Amino acid sequence: MTAAVRVRSDSEIRSVTDAEVPDWIRALNTGFLRAPMASEAEVADRRSQLIPDRTLGAFDAGRCVATFRSFRQELTAVGGAAVPADAITNVSVTSTHRRRGLLSRMMAKDLAAAKDRGDVVATLIAAEYPIYGRYGFGPATHATEWMIDVPRAGLDRRYAGPDDGGRVDLVDGEDVRKLGPELHERLRRRQPGAVDRTDRWWQVSTGVVRRDGSPWTEPFYAVHRGPDGTVEGLAAYTCDDTWSDAKQPLNTVTVKNLIAVTPAAERALWLHLCSIDWVTKVRSGYRAPDDLLPHLLPDPRAATPLTHADWLWVRILDVVRALEARTYEGSGTLVLEVVDPAGPAGGRRRLEATPEGASCTPTTESADLTLDVAQLAALWLGDESAVRLAALGRVQEERAGAARSADALLRTSRRPWCPDMF
Ligand SMILES: CC(C)(COP(=O)(O)OP(=O)(O)OC[C@H]1O[C@@H](n2cnc3c(N)ncnc32)[C@H](O)[C@@H]1OP(=O)(O)O)[C@@H](O)C(=O)NCCC(=O)NCCS
């Protein structure tokens, strides 16, 4: 076998000018294996979203060959604090210029700017697992998608809506744009792993703005209100039109988005979706792995997992602020040696946590745990277990029992969840 030839790129990496935006979009579409040429409408729409000094391109002989952009985001930490995040998206390198270090150079530039700006973390949704660990990102939330076989779920076929005084109503997109943002704010302020949504998110998700010219199917929207009339949940879903040869309906509901701020709303919306006449399958969309859903069904085995995968990846830029921003259910101290050779987060710090607050300070004491910054990201939102990471050799215990103590402090009773893709 011959050794791989290392070709480094001398392509220039810089912010994209307004005149270069169409070429940048062509490169992005090419990298994502979509038809390269964008319509005027797509160019205008994308242009409206780009923040000039946070939109990077690599240029070779005047042609854009790599794309990268970031924007300001708020990520909810354990306990509900919103931390400033550098959200990264539209990452692509044209196939003719791959593996020459272009992504590494764009990432280094963006992360340095994020650190200078004072962002606590950077976030992204990874197209492929092996790409981002090298830059200090770790998988901090996971997603599970289920397919519910409705006739097998053991549900009462006479279900006629909530019996606790709440109600479910179908509304249209305009209603969703009015009531959705406030409901989502209530959810994301209590949901570790959630990120903020812009007005544009609601416009895109209700079809007012068509992002890339792809065909639009108007979803159905179901709203749950509690007994006092307060909006507590919202589901957007589409349905196909499938019938058997024997003239039996076999329709599948596909959930685009379902958010709820009370268990009653969650229950009412899932039971609503599973009780629509003609519907024999419900595809859940990406939920938290410990979502209530399967257990809202009398027979949870009727919900088959389709996907179980990493979702939000986090790169901690400021360990002190990240650990002080979140809350802790118990009290304890932990000395962490964070390894971050290429980044700003390395060093030894002592975390002193109580349910009332936490402090994190540099120390010369002996470390309890040594871990890479990417592993800290997996622990920070409460999802991962230090004991498990130690068994995998990804966290090193410097004191016997330290991983167990770390779990007692850092893990949360419910898993984090990021409902959004960006
Ligand atoms: C993923 C992508 C952006 C990588 O760009 P790139 O310029 O080739 O990456 P770099 O040359 O900077 O690679 C840096 C390192 O990451 C590795 N790497 C990059 N992409 C990888 C992948 N998909 N799988 C495994 N390793 C990868 C490289 O081998 C290299 O490793 P090395 O330092 O040990 O040599 C590019 O392949 C691409 O555009 N893919 C299709 C679109 C995509 O997936 N975008 C990401 C959306 S989240």
Side-chain angles (χ1 to χ4, degrees):
M1 212 169 82
T2 52
V5 179
R6 293 245 159 201
V7 181
R8 302 317 290 177
S9 171
D10 52 6
S11 302
E12 184 191 7
I13 289 177
R14 56 173 169 77
S15 304
V16 172
T17 65
D18 191 59
E20 289 166 337
V21 168
D23 193 36
W24 187 90
I25 296 170
R26 179 203 47 72
L28 173 64
N29 285 344
T30 304
F32 280 16
L33 304 181
R34 298 190 293 238
M37 297 318 291
S39 66
E40 274 181 31
E42 183 186 347
V43 171
D45 178 53
R46 282 201 180 272
R47 183 177 258 134
S48 72
Q49 296 310 301
L50 302 182
I51 305 164
D53 63 346
R54 296 181 72 169
T55 305
L56 299 179
F59 294 86
D60 186 3
R63 192 174 162 87
C64 188
V65 292
T67 64
F68 187 113
R69 81 177 175 94
S70 67
F71 60 92
R72 186 184 179 284
Q73 186 182 63
E74 285 185 354
L75 170 66
T76 304
V78 174
V83 302
D86 175 52
I88 293 170
T89 187
N90 293 169
V91 174
S92 78
V93 173
T94 307
S95 51
T96 49
H97 287 68
R98 74 197 280 278
R99 307 304 182 263
R100 301 178 187 190
L102 288 181
L103 170 58
S104 299
R105 288 169 59 200
M106 295 190 294
M107 183 65 83
K109 199 172 164 69
D110 182 81
L111 292 182
K115 176 69 183 161
D116 287 350
R117 239 183 347 256
D119 289 339
V120 173
V121 295
T123 56
L124 54 80
I125 312 270
E128 294 191 90
Y129 197 99
I131 304 175
Y132 295 105
R134 75 193 66 242
Y135 307 119
F137 287 82
T141 78
H142 286 76
T144 305
E145 182 172 36
W146 287 275
M147 181 68 91
I148 305 167
D149 185 352
V150 175
R152 296 290 305 271
L155 293 164
D156 181 355
R157 303 295 288 174
R158 292 162 302 170
Y159 178 75
D163 58 7
D164 60 356
R167 55 183 293 154
V168 173
D169 295 295
L170 294 183
V171 299
D172 60 26
E174 198 179 338
D175 299 315
V176 169
R177 287 188 295 279
K178 282 187 200 137
L179 57 83
E182 196 271 334
L183 173 70
H184 178 262
E185 274 300 291
R186 281 157 61 211
L187 172 78
R188 72 118 177 163
R189 296 217 172 262
R190 71 179 71 176
Q191 176 61 63
V195 296
D196 60 318
R197 286 180 181 171
T198 57
D199 288 345
R200 178 186 159 81
W201 188 97
W202 293 97
Q203 289 169 347
V204 170
S205 70
T206 55
V208 171
V209 169
R210 311 269 169 90
R211 213 171 19 198
D212 50 14
S214 46
W216 165 253
T217 304
E218 177 80 13
F220 301 98
Y221 305 102
V223 170
H224 173 269
R225 289 186 173 82
D228 66 357
T230 308
V231 172
E232 293 179 348
L234 173 64
Y237 59 96
T238 55
C239 194
D240 68 356
D241 182 18
T242 308
W243 291 72
S244 77
D245 291 341
K247 212 176 169 309
Q248 287 182 326
L250 295 172
N251 294 273
T252 299
V253 155
T254 300
V255 177
K256 301 288 174 196
N257 207 266
L258 187 152
I259 57 172
V261 293
T262 62
E266 250 176 284
R267 173 184 295 274
L269 288 172
W270 286 117
L271 294 188
H272 169 78
L273 296 172
C274 291
S275 305
I276 300 171
D277 289 327
W278 300 3
V279 170
T280 54
K281 292 223 177 331
V282 173
R283 189 175 180 129
S284 70
Y286 297 122
R287 315 294 308 166
D290 63 345
D291 198 86
L292 300 185
L293 171 60
H295 297 279
L296 294 171
L297 308 174
D299 184 347
R301 287 195 209 168
T304 310
L306 299 177
T307 311
H308 175 69
D310 54 284
W311 190 255
L312 184 77
W313 287 61
V314 169
R315 203 280 183 222
I316 296 184
L317 296 165
D318 186 330
V319 175
V320 169
R321 284 167 68 209
L323 288 172
E324 289 183 348
R326 59 158 285 178
T327 59
Y328 299 83
E329 285 171 29
S331 297
T333 63
L334 200 60
V335 178
L336 297 172
E337 175 78 41
V338 178
V339 179
D340 186 18
R348 192 177 303 171
R349 289 136 188 133
R350 176 189 169 89
L351 170 67
E352 283 197 51
T354 69
E356 287 73 45
S359 72
C360 183
T361 44
T363 183
T364 53
E365 286 172 64
S366 309
D368 296 318
L369 285 182
T370 299
L371 72 176
D372 186 88
V373 66
Q375 309 304 330
L376 183 61
L379 297 172
W380 176 63
L381 277 180
D383 200 44
E384 188 49 272
S385 151
V387 169
R388 194 161 88 127
L389 293 180
L392 287 163
R394 295 181 192 166
V395 159
Q396 199 174 325
E397 267 193 328
E398 309 293 356
R399 174 178 61 74
R404 189 174 283 274
S405 312
D407 280 351
L409 267 192
L410 298 170
R411 281 199 108 181
T412 50
S413 42
R414 291 290 300 273
R415 294 182 70 172
W417 178 49
C418 177
D420 295 339
M421 166 71 105
F422 56 90

